[in-house]
């Protein structure tokens, strides 16, 4: 029987090259930098990115914590981690560690900050996962995700956004992907629900909340300070 984690690993393993291109397109460096800025990192900090994918955020995180800090990327898919390791090796960073692991149970202990970008929509219980991440962060946590737009221009593009979400949802076969695209409103609703629950969990478990939106409302950045900080 195929488990959700097996499905995610297989799907993103097959499409890792396409994912790398799309990830850079839908969330260019400027928006990713805003998510990293929301963590308010200092030199020497330790930061973890759950669902680090191919490592698009690693250069930004490493720049903020410096050579004296530590960056840890966690992802479930070996093919994603392999591509992320190429980035790390090319840059020669000895303070960036990549770990294979489940985002809902990251193999880490207390750290200064936790970043999650475009990952909560893949989780069966995103709220519980975010609660776990909040408990790990001593300083701040930030989430960058896509969701249905309420912007006047964005509303016109919501059906197209739904088809995009459906196409990127892990499935066992191409036929299942086609069926999901045909029912793209359902895929969009599932993502919206996951994002809504994750953001509420962040707000419930942190203080000093901040919210920003980009791309005519399709991307949202929510961050908060650890309740223990």
């Amino acid at each position: 029987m195929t488990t959700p984690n097996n499905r995610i690993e297989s799907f993103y393993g097959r499409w890792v090259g396409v994912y790398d291109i799309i990830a850079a397109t839908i969330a260019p460096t400027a928006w990713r930098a805003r998510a990293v800025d929301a963590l308010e990192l200092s030199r020497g900090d330790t930061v973890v990115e759950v669902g680090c994918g191919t490592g698009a955020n690693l250069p930004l995180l490493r720049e903020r914590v410096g050579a004296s800090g530590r960056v840890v990327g966690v992802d479930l898919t070996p093919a994603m981690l392999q591509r992320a390791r190429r980035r790390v090796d090319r840059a020669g960073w000895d303070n960036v560690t990549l770990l294979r692991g489940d985002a809902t149970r990251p193999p880490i202990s207390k750290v200064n900050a936790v970043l999650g970008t475009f990952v909560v929509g893949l989780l069966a219980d995103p709220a519980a996962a975010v609660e776990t991440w909040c408990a790990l962060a001593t300083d701040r946590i930030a989430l960058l995700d896509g969701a249905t737009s309420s912007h006047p221009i964005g509303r016109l593009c919501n059906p197209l956004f739904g088809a995009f979400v459906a196409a990127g949802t892990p499935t066992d076969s191409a036929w299942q992907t086609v069926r999901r695209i045909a029912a793209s409103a359902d895929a969009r609703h599932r993502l919206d629900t996951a994002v809504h629950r994750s953001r509420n969990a962040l707000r419930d478990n942190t203080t000093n909340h901040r919210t920003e939106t980009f791309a005519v409302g399709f991307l949202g950045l929510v961050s908060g300070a650890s309740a223990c900080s």
Side-chain angles (χ1 to χ4, degrees), residues 1-24:
M1 179 179 179
T2 303
T3 67
N5 279 359
N6 292 149
R7 189 174 298 115
I8 291 170
E9 182 179 339
S10 176
F11 182 85
Y12 284 106
R14 292 195 306 270
W15 297 102
V16 61
V18 176
Y19 169 90
D20 216 11
I21 297 171
I22 292 176

Side-chain angles (χ1 to χ4, degrees), residues 38-198:
L39 296 174
E40 298 182 2
L41 295 166
S42 300
R43 299 287 178 176
D45 280 351
T46 296
V47 57
V48 169
E49 182 179 10
V50 287
C52 67
T54 57
N57 295 321
L58 297 179
L60 299 168
L61 294 169
R62 204 274 181 178
E63 179 184 2
R64 302 305 194 280
V65 302
S68 61
R70 185 181 176 218
V71 178
V72 180
V74 178
D75 203 275
L76 184 67
T77 306
M80 293 283 197
L81 290 173
Q82 183 178 27
R83 187 159 294 212
R85 283 194 182 94
R86 291 177 194 163
R87 293 177 187 250
V88 174
D89 292 343
R90 282 197 300 266
W93 295 326
D94 58 7
N95 62 334
V96 178
T97 303
L98 298 172
L99 302 174
R100 187 183 178 209
D102 189 334
T104 64
R105 300 184 302 276
I108 55 173
S109 55
K110 286 285 187 178
V111 295
N112 294 102
V114 175
L115 174 66
T117 60
F118 309 109
V119 65
V120 299
L122 299 173
L123 308 179
D125 191 344
V130 171
E131 288 174 6
T132 298
W133 304 343
C134 288
L136 291 171
T138 61
D139 296 333
R140 290 189 67 82
I141 177 173
L143 303 175
L144 177 65
D145 290 291
T148 295
S149 175
S150 59
H151 188 281
I153 296 176
R155 282 200 296 265
L156 297 175
C157 301
N158 278 332
L160 182 61
F161 173 72
F164 174 79
V165 171
T169 301
T171 59
D172 292 324
S173 67
W175 173 240
Q176 287 184 352
T177 298
V178 170
R179 291 177 61 186
R180 290 215 172 182
I181 293 174
S184 59
D186 292 339
R188 181 157 51 94
H189 174 72
R190 284 193 294 271
L191 176 62
D192 288 347
T193 299
V195 170
H196 178 73
R197 289 175 178 171
S198 67

